[in-house]
Amino acid sequence: MQTNQLFLLFCTVLLLLGLVAFFIGRSKAARVRSAGGSMFAQPDQYAWFAVLSTAGPAILVGAVGALIMLLLGADIPTFYLLAASLVVAAAGLVVGISQVRPNFHARQAIERAIRMALASAALISIFTTFGILFSIISEAIRFFQMHSFWEFITGTTWSPGDSFLAAAGRGDGGGAQFGSVPLFAGTFMITAIAMLVAVPIGLLSAIYMSEYAPQKVRAVAKPVLEILAGIPTVVYGFFAAITVAPIIVNIAGFFGLDASYNNALAPGIVMGIMIIPFISSLSDDVINSVPDTMRQGSLALGMTKGETIRDVVIPAALPGIISASLLGVSRAMGETMIVVMAAGMRPNLTANPLEDMTTVTVRIVAALTGDQEFASAETLSAFALGLVLFGVTLTLNLVSVLMIRRFREKYRVNNL
């Protein structure tokens, strides 16, 4: 029997065992209650405890077996693993039914199980983060054994050369240069352009919708604005390459400037348009969460509505606005499709946004696609780029946390 069929059979049997546990547990609890017994929980709660006793241990056994096979490379036959899980499920069913008695707190047991499940979910997310970081670091170390770390972070030329052929034994790879400065320069420039577009428009639209717009206008404008977040990035890429880039070339030509059809300005502008809903929606929610008593107190002291927004509402909502802006920065730094279609893939160290350039994420995709040797320096460079990008984003997050904390302390002191 194939693995998919075994897994389907396992899920079916486990579902049947859960249904049996639920109905038997509920009927037993109902009989005890009807006989005059004092129960610490409702019959449905005893039934759900029986279900958790049946399915929980079975799923745990299957998950542990899968982790052992994944991490330790052990070869556990699928049939035996699923069979063991079902045996444990049957034993859990018996234990769960036996606990349906008057002096057992089923509701507290369910709450403990829920807390354990929530804690497990939190641990999984933490371990996943460390697993991603470990996988990136382990492969990045292999790259830095081939090329200097200092050259990587300070070099101004990105030219993999014949590193792919060298990994296949058909070249020496001597002409390869992996200077990441052009890639990060392109990333920061396009991100900066996007934020220069997204932050003012997003913040001002949030202020209008939360402070000035009538309820009817707000009910229409906010959903329409959030539609931008649902447009696929490839559509934005088409728009940037076919519409925005030619307009930029024509405007630059009108002023006597040379502009490439693959330039950094077009994807930056379109990316900023894409990020507007993130900043606008989150900032709107944060501004609306500012207590009305602060607005009323400011107006009672003689401040105008504009002064109230500038001196009271925005400072109170600034930590949330900064968080929304940082979410936009992360979104912009991780964007790939728009850059590929509108800015090109050539690493170009320049301060002119009218020239073509590329970003870190584009080079990562290019390095990990195609028929390239995984052990080549060009492929491993993707992990080195990812590691440095991870460090950059982590630094930005730490700086933002410090800024938010310092601002909150300053704001509290001023209010005192």
Side-chain angles (χ1 to χ4, degrees):
M1 187 177 293
Q2 296 181 357
T3 303
N4 293 337
Q5 295 175 340
L6 285 174
F7 184 73
L8 180 60
L9 179 62
F10 167 77
C11 293
T12 303
V13 175
L14 186 62
L15 178 61
L16 292 176
L17 290 175
L19 291 174
V20 170
F22 181 86
F23 288 111
I24 293 179
R26 186 172 63 177
S27 61
K28 183 178 179 180
R31 288 197 304 270
V32 173
R33 169 171 287 188
S34 62
S38 178
M39 307 289 286
F40 287 104
Q42 298 296 326
D44 284 348
Q45 293 173 336
Y46 285 99
W48 283 114
F49 173 78
V51 173
L52 290 177
S53 300
T54 302
I59 295 174
L60 181 62
V61 169
V64 171
L67 286 176
I68 291 175
M69 290 190 292
L70 179 63
L71 299 179
L72 303 180
D75 187 13
I76 303 176
T78 305
F79 175 79
Y80 293 113
L81 178 61
L82 297 181
S85 299
L86 291 178
V87 171
V88 172
L93 188 151
V94 175
V95 172
I97 297 301
S98 65
Q99 293 297 319
V100 181
R101 58 181 189 271
N103 60 348
F104 179 69
H105 295 266
R107 179 173 59 83
Q108 295 180 2
I110 293 175
E111 291 179 352
R112 285 195 299 268
I114 293 175
R115 285 197 298 269
M116 292 176 61
L118 296 175
S120 299
L123 290 175
I124 288 174
S125 62
I126 294 173
F127 288 143
T128 301
T129 302
F130 281 108
I132 293 173
L133 184 60
F134 174 77
S135 63
I136 293 176
I137 291 176
S138 61
E139 299 298 334
I141 290 175
R142 295 177 58 189
F143 171 79
F144 291 128
Q145 291 174 347
M146 302 177 183
H147 294 272
S148 169
F149 175 76
W150 182 252
E151 176 190 354
F152 177 77
I153 61 173
T154 61
T156 58
T157 302
W158 183 273
S159 177
D162 60 350
S163 58
F164 167 64
L165 296 177
R170 292 181 290 174
D172 57 2
Q177 299 183 62
F178 293 93
S180 62
V181 173
L183 305 181
F184 283 98
T187 300
F188 294 145
M189 177 174 287
I190 294 176
T191 300
I193 295 172
M195 298 312 296
L196 288 175
V197 173
V199 172
I201 298 177
L203 181 57
L204 292 176
S205 61
I207 293 174
Y208 171 75
M209 287 189 296
S210 60
E211 300 295 329
Y212 291 101
Q215 185 61 34
K216 293 182 179 180
V217 176
R218 173 183 168 84
V220 176
K222 188 172 183 179
V224 171
L225 186 62
E226 291 178 349
I227 289 176
L228 294 174
I231 299 176
T233 56
V234 66
V235 177
Y236 281 112
F238 279 124
F239 177 65
I242 297 176
T243 303
V244 179
I247 293 176
I248 292 175
V249 171
N250 293 332
I251 294 176
F254 178 80
F255 289 100
L257 301 175
D258 293 330
S260 172
Y261 280 94
N262 288 331
N263 57 75
L265 189 58
I269 293 174
V270 175
M271 200 180 299
I273 296 173
M274 180 186 67
I275 297 172
I276 286 174
F278 295 94
I279 297 178
S280 176
S281 180
L282 293 176
S283 298
D284 177 53
D285 294 337
V286 171
I287 292 173
N288 279 322
S289 66
V290 176
D292 286 335
T293 53
M294 299 180 65
R295 298 180 177 86
Q296 295 170 2
S298 174
L299 295 173
L301 291 174
M303 299 180 67
T304 64
K305 188 175 183 63
E307 292 172 340
T308 299
I309 295 172
R310 183 190 63 193
D311 298 329
V312 176
V313 176
I314 296 301
L318 191 58
I321 295 173
I322 294 175
S323 300
S325 301
L326 289 174
L327 177 62
V329 171
S330 301
R331 185 71 177 85
M333 294 185 70
E335 179 54 40
T336 304
M337 185 59 67
I338 299 176
V339 180
V340 170
M341 300 181 68
M345 300 181 64
R346 184 172 72 97
N348 183 22
L349 181 59
T350 178
N352 185 4
L354 299 178
E355 295 183 11
D356 63 326
M357 56 181 60
T358 191
T359 62
V360 172
T361 55
V362 172
R363 292 309 308 175
I364 290 176
V365 172
L368 293 178
T369 54
D371 298 330
Q372 302 186 40
E373 182 71 24
F374 188 82
S376 67
E378 183 177 0
T379 303
L380 295 176
S381 66
F383 297 94
L385 291 171
L387 179 62
V388 178
L389 185 62
F390 178 85
V392 170
T393 54
L394 179 62
T395 302
L396 289 175
N397 289 332
L398 291 176
V399 171
S400 66
V401 169
L402 293 176
M403 289 176 56
I404 293 172
R405 186 176 301 173
R406 183 172 300 177
F407 177 82
R408 283 178 175 172
E409 292 175 355
K410 179 180 178 181
Y411 186 69
R412 288 172 182 171
V413 171
N414 291 337
N415 279 337
L416 292 177

